Amino acid sequence: MKKEIFLCAINNILSGTCLEDCKFCTQSVRYHADIERYNYKSIETIVDEAKRAKSHGALGYCLVTAGKGLDDKKVDFVARAAQAIKDEVENLNLIACNGTASVEQLRYLKAHGIDSYNHNLETSENYYKTICTTHSWSERYETCQNVKEVGLQLCSGGIFGMGESYEDRASLLASIASLNPESTPLNFYHPNAALPIKSRNISRDEALEIVRKARSLLGEDRLLMVAGGRELLFDGCENLMFEAGANSMVIGNYLTTVGDDPEKDKNMLEKLGYGVATTCHE
Ligand code: SF4
């Protein structure tokens, strides 16, 4: 049987207005990165974009908002967007990615159609204070635990190549595994001249080693996604990341960087002999 790849699309529904100081993030207002910044998209636009993602084969659809975490306005908006998508698009796993979240906020999202919550640990507990001083790693871990507590699927991963050591990478993977997430995105840092982290300290071979290690720690039944940075490290040799254990990838654009054309990705998967998954359940 063909190996099936799970496709996930991201929609940045509120962009570029965050006061936090994460040194890898163009959406922090502190670094003045040249990105598109906007307030909430209209729900109609979000639903249309969900339909388009679905037509390109996406099974997961992630509603992302910039900012440290959920507040009343944000939770209400994401819930309304989720409900509107569920009303019009079938068989789309809805993921919310809105930062720090309490048990009550997550329950509310779940009740309005969100299936999964994405909150990445980003890097090791030890290295985190080097890349962010405005909130703590433990706060991130706690939100992931809240996700588990309310019975949403947890999507949690991190970013590699931000100047961390091999020990930090191992520690991050162990921390992710300790949460037993249903899905794990592995991002590889995309340098931007405006950001304090200027370059990426990771090679393709190191990235493949991370994919292999993550697969062995997380188990065969979990989704392991190569997300941001795929085009920089694996363009033209995507087979390597799938052979190393990845079974999921992001299609279309990322939060603030442009991804490959979904048609190009579809052709790539066909050429490699992979199928596109049509259901999240075996
Ligand atoms: S909290 Fe999120 S949106 Fe804000 S700077 Fe950090 S990563 Fe970016």
Side-chain angles (χ1 to χ4, degrees):
M1 205 176 94
K2 271 190 196 175
K3 176 168 173 170
E4 292 198 325
I5 306 302
F6 294 76
L7 305 182
C8 191
I10 299 174
N11 194 336
N12 201 9
I13 63 175
L14 168 68
S15 171
T17 49
C18 184
L19 303 176
E20 300 295 295
D21 76 346
C22 306
K23 294 186 173 62
F24 55 87
C25 182
T26 52
Q27 300 206 75
S28 168
V29 293
R30 297 173 188 237
Y31 308 128
H32 312 288
D34 183 18
I35 60 162
E36 214 187 331
R37 299 176 198 271
Y38 47 80
N39 210 328
Y40 292 101
K41 287 183 177 176
S42 75
I43 295 218
E44 199 185 4
T45 302
I46 296 168
V47 172
D48 284 348
E49 289 171 348
K51 287 179 185 165
R52 201 171 321 134
K54 177 79 196 164
S55 74
H56 287 133
L59 200 51
Y61 191 65
C62 189
L63 300 171
V64 189
T65 49
K68 177 168 171 265
L70 282 165
D71 53 26
D72 289 351
K73 187 176 171 197
K74 221 178 252 183
V75 84
D76 173 65
F77 185 83
V78 175
R80 284 192 290 118
Q83 195 75 70
I85 296 170
K86 285 273 155 151
D87 287 347
E88 293 202 40
V89 192
E90 281 183 1
N91 195 23
L92 200 52
N93 193 58
L94 284 189
I95 305 136
C97 175
N98 317 115
T100 307
S102 68
V103 163
E104 293 70 30
Q105 290 167 330
L106 292 163
R107 276 212 182 97
Y108 190 79
L109 292 181
K110 187 174 182 220
H112 288 79
I114 291 294
D115 302 292
S116 175
Y117 198 81
N118 169 233
H119 198 57
N120 293 334
L121 296 179
E122 307 299 20
T123 190
S124 71
E125 181 171 15
N126 190 41
Y127 193 60
Y128 194 77
K129 34 193 179 305
T130 311
I131 59 156
C132 174
T133 65
T134 48
H135 61 270
S136 69
W137 187 91
S138 56
E139 201 177 316
R140 305 193 74 82
Y141 196 87
E142 196 180 306
T143 289
C144 293
Q145 290 175 313
N146 292 344
V147 173
K148 303 292 280 190
E149 187 178 330
V150 305
L152 281 164
Q153 293 163 21
L154 174 64
C155 173
S156 185
I159 310 174
F160 297 85
M162 298 192 288
E164 76 283 349
S165 66
Y166 292 120
E167 290 73 27
D168 289 316
R169 290 176 188 169
S171 168
L172 169 60
L173 289 175
S175 297
I176 294 168
S178 72
L179 289 162
N180 194 20
E182 277 75 16
S183 157
T184 293
L186 302 175
N187 297 278
F188 301 102
Y189 183 58
H190 193 139
N192 180 305
L195 295 176
I197 304 173
K198 297 289 177 210
S199 57
R200 187 180 59 235
N201 70 325
I202 194 162
S203 66
R204 180 183 297 150
D205 283 348
E206 288 172 353
L208 287 169
E209 195 46 42
I210 287 165
V211 176
R212 275 185 218 106
K213 187 139 191 235
R215 174 54 78 202
S216 85
L217 283 171
L218 296 167
E220 289 301 320
D221 61 336
R222 297 311 205 208
L223 287 185
L224 183 59
M225 172 191 296
V226 175
R230 167 170 66 89
E231 290 83 352
L232 298 177
L233 284 174
F234 295 112
D235 193 28
C237 56
E238 291 85 353
N239 58 311
L240 297 178
M241 64 190 205
F242 296 130
E243 285 159 16
N247 62 347
S248 177
M249 64 181 215
V250 172
I251 54 164
N253 292 338
Y254 299 91
L255 292 179
T256 60
T257 55
V258 176
D260 272 345
D261 179 343
E263 279 305 308
K264 181 182 166 207
D265 282 337
K266 204 173 139 202
N267 293 339
M268 174 269 291
L269 290 173
E270 260 173 35
K271 207 167 137 202
L272 293 176
Y274 294 116
V276 172
T278 52
T279 171
C280 284
H281 311 286
E282 295 292 306

